[in-house]
Amino acid sequence: MARRNDIPRYTAGREEEFLSLRSIREGFSKRLRAFSLALVFVFAAGLITYFSMGPTGDSAGGDPSRQSVATVNGEPIKRDEFEMVVSETSRERALVSGDALASIGVRRQVFDEQVQQILIAQAAEKEGIRISNRDLDREIDKLVDQQVKQERERAAQGKEMTDQQFEMVIRSAMGKSVAEWREELKQNWEPRKPFLRQALLQQKLMDKVAKVPNPSDEELKRSFDLLTVRHILISTGKRTEEQARKRAEEILQKVRSGADFAKLAKEFSDDPGSKQNGGSLGDIPRSQIAMLFVPEFAKAVEALQPGQVSDLVKTEYGFHIIRLDGVKPNVPADFEKKKADYAKQYVETLRNAKWQQYVAQLRRTAKIEILDPEIKAYEVLDELGRKAGTPEYAAALDKAIAAFEKATQEMPSAEAMVVLGQLYRAQSEMPGLAEPARQKARENAITAWQNALQRIESVQLRMSLAELYRKNKQDDLAIKQYEEVGKIAWDRPDIHAQLKSIYKQMGRQDLVQKEIEWEKKYQERMKAERVPPPPSAQPAPARKP
């Protein structure tokens, strides 16, 4: 299926990215179907920067932004709690990826998640939904039962196991009875109760506001239909709404007069994901329409007959002209055999779509006041992404730079400094920029990244910094960064191969030779580590006392 860059999915919002600064927002609202230990760990990680060596909050009076990050319908997101969440999430990302730059955008992601959590909690309260301590204890009992059951199944290895045998296994492995182990597992859940409470709250709210009746056989069969859809988008991001409407009406008139839809899409559509394919979005299962597209677009598609063209469809992205090319029945051969499973999947798909629409509506109607200067800067960055490819891009870039300059001055953080450097680098690459201004932008990027490296360590950032030094014809400073990278990445053959290639480009055969020597030593070390020591050198196995 073709990418739909300008027909946003609710799960990720607008898919435009700028300088790889924004992570795809996974969010707290993703398809919560069952509760398990893994779910709560993932959820907790989503709540809980490595970059928080900067702002850590100030509980004393004074500036409200030092006490709260934002307010959501009057309810504050407390800074100390927010910073703890950001720090833990970023630390985990950095550990997984091996580089601190993996945490860029975490601050904004955590903000979006916490806003959503507050909105869900507020909505649940309005609906009269409460989670009592007894509810929590019951859920923890279920989770513990699940953990014990899984451990028992692993120990049994597909064979029958009596309670007495399982008791012996646990005592041997853990030095305690099954009952004592169960109690320990329950106690381990105590610090996670807030996360579990939020998850249960969401589940109950979802059950109430996203109910979906079981489908009839006919409806279920129709859900497998493949819909071939085309569209033309006239974006309001590149022009005023009035201008976009007028342009869309002119194109619609051409369509109605018999003009080739695909040719018009290639010529006029602002959707880069489908433009070159004549506006084609591919074959989409009917059951996925509500999930993949915003409600206005999905509703319009469902209302069309094969060959029919829609009126103008207004969404947050502009005006769409939609044509349904065809509908192809696609009922699976095992439909009768697996009807119950298919019905369950269909209901779950519609339920998730309905829930995502509900949460999106909560966000649209919420009164959110952002106090944190860095989060404010990310809002400006979003606007910059929407201006990409337009005449207003240069002015939007200047505005984003000013916002991140302000953020780094008021509450310095490495993350904001990294982003600021990326923005200055983008400015230095603007076409038509005079060379003195281009060099000044590169120098500003260098300064921002140097400041960031005083707070974090990153191979990727040092490589980018070295590249800017080279563009500024400061090869000696670039080499210092490359050599520092070599020291940090002492066990990374991929990085050293990259360094060797760069040194060749720079004509530094002496440094190329050093990298060759490093490769030889690395290979020797790896070979030595793969050879087991002689039997006499191996320690005897330890005996239990």
Side-chain angles (χ1 to χ4, degrees):
M1 190 170 3
R3 290 185 63 189
R4 290 171 286 285
N5 291 351
D6 288 295
I7 308 178
R9 307 178 187 185
Y10 267 107
T11 50
R14 195 179 187 92
E15 290 187 316
E16 295 174 354
E17 288 189 350
F18 174 68
L19 296 173
S20 301
L21 299 181
R22 286 186 291 159
S23 304
I24 296 175
R25 296 170 189 169
E26 298 174 351
F28 167 70
S29 63
K30 273 190 172 180
R31 306 184 185 186
L32 189 58
R33 296 175 182 155
F35 298 104
S36 66
L37 178 62
L39 178 146
V40 177
F41 271 128
V42 171
F43 174 61
L47 292 175
I48 321 215
T49 198
Y50 191 84
F51 293 109
S52 62
M53 296 168 70
T56 56
D58 184 355
S59 58
D63 187 353
S65 67
R66 294 193 174 275
Q67 299 175 12
S68 302
V69 172
T71 60
V72 182
N73 294 326
E75 184 173 340
I77 297 178
K78 296 179 180 178
R79 178 167 294 281
D80 54 352
E81 296 174 2
F82 175 81
E83 297 294 353
M84 178 194 69
V85 173
V86 171
S87 178
E88 187 60 31
T89 305
S90 295
R91 187 178 297 111
E92 289 174 3
R93 278 201 188 180
L95 286 172
V96 170
S97 70
D99 198 286
L101 285 198
S103 297
I104 295 297
V106 164
R107 194 174 190 81
R108 175 61 185 269
Q109 178 190 327
V110 170
F111 172 74
D112 287 339
E113 290 170 351
Q114 292 200 347
V115 166
Q116 187 163 301
Q117 292 152 24
I118 290 174
L119 291 174
I120 288 171
Q122 290 173 345
E125 186 174 358
K126 287 181 180 178
E127 295 288 345
I129 297 172
R130 301 283 189 277
I131 302 297
S132 67
N133 289 333
R134 184 173 295 180
D135 292 331
L136 281 177
D137 289 339
R138 279 196 293 263
E139 190 61 36
I140 289 173
D141 284 339
K142 291 178 186 177
L143 289 165
V144 169
D145 287 344
Q146 182 180 345
Q147 288 176 266
V148 172
K149 180 182 177 183
Q150 290 174 348
E151 188 60 38
R152 183 165 182 159
E153 288 173 351
R154 279 195 293 268
Q157 297 182 345
K159 300 177 182 178
E160 290 292 329
M161 175 175 278
T162 65
D163 291 346
Q164 185 177 8
Q165 289 172 326
F166 183 54
E167 181 79 30
M168 291 175 63
V169 168
I170 294 300
R171 284 189 178 277
S172 175
M174 302 183 185
K176 61 190 71 175
S177 67
V178 172
E180 290 170 335
W181 178 49
R182 283 183 60 89
E183 186 59 32
E184 184 179 288
L185 292 175
K186 288 176 69 174
Q187 290 302 315
N188 289 342
W189 280 100
E190 283 299 317
R192 302 177 199 139
K193 275 188 173 181
F195 306 129
L196 184 57
R197 184 186 296 276
Q198 181 77 15
L200 287 170
L201 201 65
Q202 174 172 316
Q203 184 66 67
K204 286 194 173 186
L205 181 61
M206 189 176 183
D207 291 341
K208 187 168 185 176
V209 303
K211 292 179 180 178
V212 176
N214 290 324
S216 64
D217 284 5
E218 182 181 355
E219 180 185 356
L220 188 57
K221 287 179 179 179
R222 286 184 72 248
S223 73
F224 292 100
D225 289 349
L226 295 178
L227 278 59
T228 305
V229 182
R230 292 180 187 272
H231 88 125
I232 298 170
L233 169 66
I234 305 302
S235 172
T236 50
K238 297 185 176 182
R239 53 188 70 84
T240 67
E241 183 170 324
E242 183 180 348
Q243 290 170 336
R245 182 186 293 276
K246 183 179 179 181
R247 185 179 179 89
E249 286 173 345
E250 291 171 354
I251 296 170
L252 179 59
Q253 185 59 43
K254 291 181 180 181
V255 172
R256 295 265 163 85
S257 298
D260 188 292
F261 193 100
K263 288 183 179 179
L264 291 173
K266 287 182 178 181
E267 184 176 356
F268 296 110
S269 182
D270 292 325
D271 175 14
S274 65
K275 180 182 179 75
Q276 297 306 317
N277 296 323
S280 176
L281 299 175
D283 294 338
I284 309 167
R286 189 185 297 275
S287 63
Q288 297 294 317
I289 294 293
M291 176 69 77
L292 292 177
F293 304 117
V294 292
E296 302 91 341
F297 192 97
K299 186 178 180 181
V301 170
E302 287 286 3
L304 292 175
Q305 296 298 318
Q308 188 178 4
V309 176
S310 71
D311 294 329
L312 296 187
V313 178
K314 176 71 170 67
T315 72
E316 61 186 288
Y317 296 89
F319 293 91
H320 305 261
I321 302 167
I322 307 168
R323 189 177 81 181
L324 179 61
D325 282 358
V327 177
K328 179 183 177 182
N330 193 39
V331 180
D334 59 357
F335 177 80
E336 292 298 333
K337 183 179 179 181
K338 295 184 177 180
K339 187 191 302 183
D341 291 337
Y342 287 133
K344 185 177 179 181
Q345 292 171 11
Y346 177 66
V347 167
E348 190 66 19
T349 297
L350 294 187
R351 196 167 101 99
N352 284 327
K354 196 170 182 179
W355 170 250
Q356 289 168 6
Q357 292 169 12
Y358 175 81
V359 171
Q361 180 64 17
L362 289 179
R363 182 70 183 252
R364 280 195 296 268
T365 58
K367 182 181 179 181
I368 301 172
E369 182 184 3
I370 299 175
L371 303 174
D372 181 85
E374 192 169 329
I375 300 299
K376 286 182 180 179
Y378 272 107
E379 292 285 308
V380 179
L381 193 63
D382 286 347
E383 181 64 23
L384 176 62
R386 289 189 286 271
K387 297 296 183 182
T390 72
E392 296 84 16
Y393 178 79
L397 179 57
D398 290 342
K399 187 177 178 182
I401 287 173
F404 275 94
E405 283 282 12
K406 188 173 187 291
T408 57
Q409 291 167 11
E410 293 185 6
M411 289 186 175
S413 77
E415 179 174 358
M417 293 169 187
V418 170
V419 176
L420 180 61
Q422 289 173 318
L423 292 170
Y424 274 125
R425 182 178 64 180
Q427 188 181 59
S428 74
E429 297 168 353
M430 289 286 290
L433 195 67
E435 187 55 36
R438 194 180 304 280
Q439 185 167 341
K440 178 63 176 175
R442 283 198 293 262
E443 289 172 356
N444 288 336
I446 287 170
T447 298
W449 286 348
Q450 285 174 335
N451 291 337
L453 285 169
Q454 292 178 12
R455 294 168 174 263
I456 61 168
E457 186 51 79
S458 167
V459 166
Q460 293 180 32
L461 188 55
R462 287 190 182 277
M463 294 291 279
S464 296
L465 180 56
E467 181 185 348
L468 281 184
Y469 278 134
R470 290 179 66 188
K471 287 183 178 180
N472 258 10
K473 303 186 184 305
Q474 296 172 295
D475 285 4
D476 54 336
L477 295 177
I479 286 173
K480 285 183 179 180
Q481 291 300 320
Y482 289 137
E483 289 178 332
E484 193 63 31
V485 165
K487 294 175 185 176
I488 299 166
W490 59 272
D491 61 343
R492 293 278 303 277
D494 56 326
I495 297 295
H496 282 272
Q498 192 175 349
L499 290 174
K500 185 170 73 171
S501 176
I502 291 170
Y503 291 149
K504 282 182 180 179
Q505 294 172 11
M506 297 179 73
R508 291 297 303 268
Q509 191 58 39
D510 56 327
L511 296 177
V512 171
Q513 188 59 41
K514 283 186 177 181
E515 290 303 320
I516 292 173
E517 292 171 2
W518 179 91
E519 287 176 351
K520 289 180 180 178
K521 291 179 181 178
Y522 179 81
Q523 290 168 1
E524 290 172 359
R525 186 167 70 249
M526 291 298 99
K527 185 178 180 181
E529 289 177 358
R530 284 194 295 268
V531 177
S536 59
Q538 293 181 357
R543 296 182 180 180
K544 291 185 178 180

